[in-house]
Amino acid sequence: MSNPGSKLALTLLAHPDDAEILCAGTLIRLKESGWQIHIATLTPGDCGTMTENRWDISSIRTKEATAAASMIGATYHCLDERDGMVVFDKPTIQKAVDLFRRVAPRLVFTHAAKDYMLDHEQTSLLARSASFLYGAPNISAHPLLPGSHIPHLYYCDPVEAIDPFGNPVTPTTTIDITAQMETKTRMLASHASQREWLRAHHGMDEYLDAMRRHAQLRGTLIDTTYAEAFIQHRGHAYPRNDILAETFPLANSP
Ligand SMILES: [Zn+2]
């Protein structure tokens, strides 16, 4: 049984802005329902630039991620790995486990197991590993908080909702975020360093437009304007009830 009563959600994603693109609408809805939100990234986004050095861009993007998180009263964490170098190894598993130990999440979001870049896939493995093990007393030096059990685990959509071979993925859970779209967009827009270089490169506001197109695509699944989609992990020992579908059973509109 997983953390009865606690309302703590954690996203463990690779890069600053992944949460805003993939699951912020659902995080906003959770916040509105009284959940406490933690947004963690593996890296500070040190390669997300054409002009800055890695230290300056890391500082800029950490501020952007913190500002986005603060819009919904969320806490931002960074595990300080490097872009393009996220690996599933012992030290990084330990970092992820220690983060889970400090937060004791009941609900976890991570990347799709198969996604367009390997930082995402490795992060997915790290989240899966940490979620399974963090409640074992000997796995971390951090104290075991009450409610440290295997959480509900959801995989966000892969980018463009396709696997690396181009096949569309089928979600288990689709959440209406139409009423949250404005706040989600503001959260994503706070990542100004990313928005600006895409805008310069594409000659249009591709950063926000791509997010909006994806939410529209998922909205068609449940006949609403905007949605986010997930696949729930339902392996041995994990809670199998769909806590998101239970919390948000229908579209926002009556
Ligand atoms: Zn990413």
Side-chain angles (χ1 to χ4, degrees):
M1 187 154 91
S2 164
N3 319 12
S6 95
K7 285 185 155 189
L8 278 161
L10 168 69
T11 67
L12 185 63
L13 298 165
H15 311 114
D17 79 9
D18 282 332
E20 289 76 6
I21 291 168
L22 297 172
C23 61
T26 304
L27 298 180
I28 296 162
R29 289 199 72 177
L30 287 166
K31 179 68 181 179
E32 290 167 354
S33 302
W35 286 69
Q36 217 179 306
I37 312 295
H38 291 259
I39 296 174
T41 66
L42 264 294
T43 85
D46 51 290
C47 288
T49 179
M50 304 300 272
T51 53
E52 310 288 333
N53 67 46
R54 68 168 65 229
W55 310 114
D56 288 344
I57 192 63
S58 294
S59 165
I60 290 165
R61 297 194 66 187
T62 299
K63 289 194 185 94
E64 291 170 349
T66 305
S70 73
M71 285 180 197
I72 55 165
T75 305
Y76 174 66
H77 309 261
C78 180
L79 298 189
D80 208 21
E81 293 298 307
R82 293 293 162 263
D83 277 354
M85 312 246 175
V86 174
V87 287
F88 183 65
D89 66 358
K90 286 181 193 171
T92 319
I93 294 170
Q94 189 70 59
K95 278 190 187 180
V97 167
D98 289 348
L99 171 71
F100 277 54
R101 248 333 223 261
R102 289 188 281 123
V103 174
R106 178 184 178 195
L107 170 57
V108 170
F109 298 89
T110 190
H111 287 293
K114 294 292 174 195
D115 204 343
Y116 82 110
M117 83 169 295
L118 285 171
D119 281 356
H120 285 203
E121 295 190 8
Q122 299 286 301
T123 301
S124 187
L125 287 174
L126 290 162
R128 183 176 164 190
S129 184
S131 65
F132 191 80
L133 287 167
Y134 89 95
N138 294 346
I139 198 76
S140 168
H142 288 268
L144 198 57
L145 298 178
S148 295
H149 303 293
I150 298 176
H152 291 80
L153 175 61
Y154 288 87
Y155 302 105
C156 295
D157 257 338
V159 169
E160 290 191 42
I162 52 172
D163 72 14
F165 311 107
N167 304 306
V169 304
T170 305
T172 59
T173 309
T174 306
I175 302 297
D176 185 356
I177 59 155
T178 306
Q180 289 72 31
M181 195 57 177
E182 194 188 322
T183 305
K184 175 177 160 94
T185 304
R186 278 196 294 115
M187 287 173 73
L188 185 58
S190 94
H191 295 272
S193 63
Q194 305 308 292
R195 186 184 179 189
E196 289 316 318
W197 78 262
L198 267 180
R199 187 145 58 180
H201 185 260
H202 284 251
M204 58 174 139
D205 207 346
E206 177 61 16
Y207 194 55
L208 303 185
D209 290 346
M211 179 275 284
R212 209 173 279 120
R213 281 197 304 275
H214 190 109
Q216 275 169 344
L217 174 75
R218 284 337 204 170
T220 62
L221 294 177
I222 54 170
D223 203 18
T224 190
T225 310
Y226 298 114
E228 287 168 346
F230 305 93
I231 292 178
Q232 186 181 10
H233 187 97
R234 289 181 176 147
H236 172 72
Y238 281 79
R240 289 175 182 164
N241 62 307
D242 188 342
I243 192 172
L244 287 181
E246 289 167 9
T247 307
F248 309 120
L250 292 169
N252 276 348
S253 46

